[in-house]
Amino acid sequence: MKRKLKIVNADVFADGQLKKASIVVNDGIIEEILEGDRFEPFDGEILDCTGKIVLPGSIDTHVHIREPGSEERETFLTGTMAAANGGVTTVLEHPISVPPPYNSEILENRINIAKPQMVVDCGFYGALGTESIGNVKDMKEHGIVSFKTFLQEPMKGREREFKGLTISDDYNLLKAMEEAHKYDMMMAFHAENDDIIKGITKELTDSGRVDTKAHYESRPIVAEIECIIKLLVLAKAADTRILICHITTSEAMKILKTAKEQGIKVIVETCPQYIFTSEEECIDLGPMAKCNPPIRKKDDVDKIWDYINDGTVDIIGSDHGPYIIEEKMPGYDNIFKAPAGFPGLETRVPLMLDAVNKGKMTLAKMVELICENPAKIFKLDHKKGFIKPGLDADFMIVDMTKSYTIDKNKMYTKGRDVAELFNERKVQGYIEKVILRGNTVMEDGVVKDSMAGYGQLIKPYQ
Ligand SMILES: [Zn+2]
């Protein structure tokens, strides 16, 4: 591994803006940022980035690799190679493995499986279910970045994946929030009212509806809103910091904006599938576009952008959820038989760069949503999220002028066969190179599996 690196002739994103500068990296850490075009002799490797911009490596706040348990869908090797390919230098991995990491022994086992395979750095969520409320302190001490909780009974047939990860009654939910608050831990939630969804799904299937549209109808906007309001009420009572994952509707955004103004400690995440496509655009993809909550109608999608640009949305995670094609295929005959989710690690940053080029948001807003805010919210900004001296030398080298077409066949995720949602979309803004702690992990679409084990475990500062 090389010790000294100098990036020269680039437009570097530092202090909230692009500036002509050189970056000196020593032993994986940013040593100095030299503004302007200065030429000084240098005794290490020089990387000329003329015409390119240098951004902080992205942190993906919402990733499902699922190992151990579902290695046919993804492993830490393929998942972190996909991350590197998509400009992501830090993966925050959600706790749906078999079993979910709801105690420190399971967590440590999971980390031991991941470490030798990791191409990029990883932080881990812990599971917090009714049976594991007593484990909050111990899990914090083991360095998890947040807890994640689902608010329903484990899904039928997926009980082993959801053990210790669900709280289905409000008494235990409040208790869990109080315990999390006691140890200054954040809780992340999938926010949809399961009673409403179950009831409507039964109505639909009883009447013979198993078509693609039935899935969209089975998860109406009110299910998201009801759940979010409940979470806000309880979080306010327990004074707990909560993260609401993958918000999909402008109505929910409006409520969250008000909640933030009132001082409720709520972090708002949305995902590319809720802002770069719509139900109308992707309904023909059937099970390949199935996710929970579902992709919403164009009208709602357009309105979400106002909440991205006014600061209501804090972070954009991918909700990377790979499946093999055999799992998705039954969904063409009966949408309820297909699992929800699709890969997203390799399309999230490209779509965001394209949105900057199209004028939908500024470059500074993009960096805030996928680098800076994730680092601050998960207490990783002592190492990640910014280009400044003392932090890890994690960069994306980007050619903002280059257009290309997203090709699922060039992806590293094992779920590439089901990555139809943004396949063949033309985007502008090409990630030429990804650097993690001073070393190249991706160059021109190539990630080498020889980098397995280079990625490190990242823990929040206490
Ligand atoms: Zn998820």
Side-chain angles (χ1 to χ4, degrees):
M1 296 289 167
K2 34 187 197 284
R3 312 276 298 171
K4 277 206 150 202
L5 169 72
K6 187 173 183 183
I7 294 174
V8 297
N9 298 326
D11 283 310
V12 177
F13 191 90
D15 304 320
Q17 57 183 304
L18 282 179
K19 43 177 113 171
K20 271 264 170 281
S22 311
I23 309 172
V24 179
V25 175
N26 193 358
D27 208 14
I29 305 289
I30 300 166
E31 191 172 77
E32 240 183 321
I33 297 167
L34 307 162
E35 286 192 40
D37 287 319
R38 283 199 275 167
F39 181 79
E40 284 157 26
F42 185 69
D43 63 349
E45 187 198 346
I46 290 180
L47 181 62
D48 187 345
C49 289
T50 303
K52 311 290 157 43
I53 62 170
V54 182
L55 305 175
S58 175
I59 301 168
D60 194 335
T61 53
H62 196 151
V63 176
H64 299 280
I65 288 176
R66 302 204 194 83
E67 191 183 10
S70 308
E71 290 80 355
E72 72 287 1
R73 294 174 184 161
E74 201 79 286
T75 61
F76 277 97
L77 177 63
T78 57
T80 55
M81 287 174 84
N85 193 31
V88 174
T89 47
T90 304
V91 160
L92 302 185
E93 164 61 10
H94 275 238
I96 305 185
S97 49
V98 181
Y102 60 84
N103 68 38
S104 57
E105 193 187 329
I106 301 169
L107 175 71
E108 288 300 329
N109 180 50
R110 195 160 196 233
I111 291 168
N112 288 335
I113 289 167
K115 262 189 178 164
Q117 304 184 63
M118 279 154 43
V119 172
V120 302
D121 291 357
C122 292
F124 288 81
Y125 283 73
L128 182 48
T130 303
E131 56 273 71
S132 58
I133 294 174
N135 299 342
V136 167
K137 181 170 183 276
D138 188 42
M139 291 295 276
K140 177 184 176 146
E141 285 166 1
H142 280 80
I144 57 166
V145 295
S146 168
F147 286 104
K148 170 89 184 272
T149 298
F150 285 80
L151 299 169
Q152 76 265 38
E153 303 286 344
M155 287 93 130
K156 272 212 175 66
R158 293 183 71 182
E159 288 84 356
R160 291 170 66 236
E161 276 177 277
F162 282 85
K163 185 176 159 50
L165 183 54
T166 71
I167 302 177
S168 59
D169 75 283
D170 298 342
Y171 166 74
N172 279 301
L173 181 54
L174 183 60
K175 285 281 140 197
M177 282 196 189
E178 286 169 356
E179 191 70 2
H181 167 74
K182 194 166 149 190
Y183 297 103
D184 192 24
M185 285 300 290
M186 183 162 73
M187 284 181 80
F189 293 97
H190 180 120
E192 282 186 295
N193 179 306
D194 201 44
D195 295 339
I196 294 174
I197 292 166
K198 266 195 200 138
I200 299 178
T201 305
K202 187 171 181 309
E203 252 179 60
L204 287 161
T205 51
D206 283 355
S207 69
R209 289 282 311 280
V210 291
D211 55 292
T212 299
K213 205 156 176 33
H215 173 255
Y216 291 88
E217 288 173 31
S218 72
R219 309 183 88 99
I221 286 172
V222 65
E224 176 168 280
I225 293 168
E226 188 281 342
C227 191
I228 286 171
I229 290 175
K230 178 170 86 178
L231 287 168
L232 290 171
V233 169
L234 297 180
K236 189 179 180 189
D239 195 23
T240 308
R241 200 158 159 257
I242 61 169
L243 159 59
I244 304 190
C245 299
H246 45 51
I247 313 282
T248 65
T249 66
S250 56
E251 189 68 29
M253 288 292 181
K254 198 163 126 193
I255 293 162
L256 288 158
K257 186 178 177 170
T258 309
K260 283 181 158 194
E261 284 162 5
Q262 290 173 357
I264 298 175
K265 298 176 206 159
V266 60
I267 307 296
V268 176
E269 180 195 72
T270 191
C271 312
Q273 51 271 36
Y274 306 117
I275 59 172
F276 293 118
T277 184
S278 63
E279 181 183 325
E280 293 91 329
E281 267 179 89
C282 67
I283 188 124
D284 291 344
L285 290 175
M288 300 305 174
K290 180 182 172 182
C291 58
N292 292 336
I295 291 165
R296 303 296 183 184
K297 293 206 162 59
K298 190 171 184 318
D299 187 41
D300 226 348
V301 171
D302 290 344
K303 285 185 202 146
I304 298 269
W305 279 94
D306 295 340
Y307 296 95
I308 289 173
N309 285 309
D310 79 1
T312 304
V313 175
D314 296 291
I315 52 179
I316 292 183
S318 66
D319 201 2
H320 178 80
Y323 288 96
I324 54 171
I325 195 148
E326 290 78 6
E327 293 176 285
K328 282 283 201 181
M329 289 310 274
Y332 283 109
D333 292 326
N334 178 345
I335 193 67
F336 296 107
K337 286 196 173 152
F342 32 71
L345 269 168
E346 287 161 279
T347 45
R348 170 176 159 271
V349 178
L351 290 163
M352 298 288 281
L353 292 168
D354 186 56
V356 171
N357 267 320
K358 288 196 163 79
K360 289 181 81 90
M361 66 178 132
T362 63
L363 183 70
K365 175 50 85 178
M366 184 199 91
V367 172
E368 191 185 304
L369 290 164
I370 65 171
C371 309
E372 297 173 354
N373 282 352
K376 287 194 268 186
I377 288 162
F378 290 90
K379 299 184 180 175
L380 306 173
D381 50 327
H382 56 314
K383 287 188 173 179
K384 305 291 185 189
F386 297 81
I387 298 178
K388 65 180 179 193
L391 269 59
D392 287 357
D394 300 352
F395 312 119
M396 280 187 258
I397 316 283
V398 176
D399 182 344
M400 284 301 269
T401 64
K402 186 170 168 179
S403 297
Y404 68 102
T405 303
I406 291 174
D407 179 356
K408 65 176 183 173
N409 297 310
K410 290 184 178 159
M411 292 183 183
Y412 283 89
T413 173
K414 283 195 182 185
R416 70 180 74 80
D417 290 341
V418 307
E420 294 288 353
L421 191 60
F422 298 113
N423 191 39
E424 292 180 7
R425 182 174 289 217
K426 200 173 176 210
V427 289
Q428 187 186 345
Y430 180 70
I431 311 169
E432 216 174 66
K433 198 188 260 272
V434 175
I435 293 172
L436 171 65
R437 284 178 280 102
N439 285 288
T440 301
V441 289
M442 187 280 271
E443 187 162 13
D444 204 17
V446 178
V447 183
K448 294 195 180 80
D449 56 12
S450 58
M451 292 305 279
Y454 176 64
Q456 290 180 358
L457 174 69
I458 176 132
K459 294 180 176 181
Y461 57 81
Q462 298 288 328

